[in-house]
Amino acid sequence: MYLSDIMISDPVTIPVTKSIQEALKVMRLHKLSHLIITNEDESLSGIVAKQDVLDYLYNLVANTTGKTYTAMEVNSFSIKEVMTTNISFLRQDASIQDAIHLFAKQHISCVPVVNENDKLVGIITAHDVFKYFDKK
């Protein structure tokens, strides 16, 4: 079985120019725990997990001696400050075992899926793999 058989096709993405607040809105709207960040040419720029954003905001508050940020200030924080840029990806013809191996080796739970031209075509999560094995 190939990743293309179980991946989420046409994943939700946002441009790298967006703010953390905009990323959270998109994640909440689509009920996502991971969001792929793209460059202007729609190539992969990074990925952000909801937990990364929460950790960032917590550390911001914890390390500012109680300073209260206004909504405008928080909205100005770029997603670039939080996203992971050194991301792994898999090709759509990779196997489910390839995804499991990558999840375990890198301690991650989500990987973008690209075609032979490195164009984003999907996303695979540990949850997708669990669902696949649950149906067997």
Side-chain angles (χ1 to χ4, degrees):
M1 172 104 14
Y2 297 108
L3 292 186
S4 58
D5 297 321
I6 67 165
M7 71 181 187
I8 299 165
S9 298
D10 299 318
V12 176
T13 66
I14 64 164
V16 71
T17 55
K18 297 297 183 182
S19 70
I20 291 173
Q21 185 172 2
E22 289 168 308
L24 282 174
K25 284 180 186 176
V26 169
M27 293 172 97
R28 197 171 29 250
L29 176 68
H30 296 281
K31 297 181 171 111
L32 302 173
S33 56
H34 299 88
L35 186 58
I36 295 175
I37 315 301
T38 57
N39 294 311
E40 287 180 19
D41 63 358
E42 296 186 6
S43 63
L44 291 174
S45 180
I47 192 165
V48 67
K50 191 182 298 181
Q51 190 61 49
D52 296 335
V53 175
L54 295 174
D55 289 347
Y56 176 83
L57 294 174
Y58 172 80
N59 286 326
L60 184 69
V61 171
N63 294 320
T64 56
T65 63
K67 178 180 177 187
T68 304
Y69 285 92
T70 66
M72 185 180 292
E73 287 173 317
V74 171
N75 194 32
S76 70
F77 297 148
S78 172
I79 197 64
K80 290 179 190 177
E81 298 176 50
V82 186
M83 70 181 193
T84 300
T85 55
N86 187 17
I87 57 173
S88 297
F89 59 86
L90 291 168
R91 300 236 182 265
Q92 61 189 5
D93 60 351
S95 70
I96 293 173
Q97 289 79 9
D98 292 332
I100 293 169
H101 177 75
L102 189 61
F103 290 157
K105 181 180 174 188
Q106 295 190 8
H107 306 285
I108 57 176
S109 60
C110 172
V111 177
V113 180
V114 299
N115 65 16
E116 61 279 352
N117 299 319
D118 291 337
K119 182 180 183 290
L120 179 68
V121 294
I123 191 168
I124 185 82
T125 68
H127 182 75
D128 300 324
V129 174
F130 296 150
K131 285 193 308 188
Y132 167 76
F133 282 111
D134 187 46
K135 290 179 182 177
K136 284 188 106 180

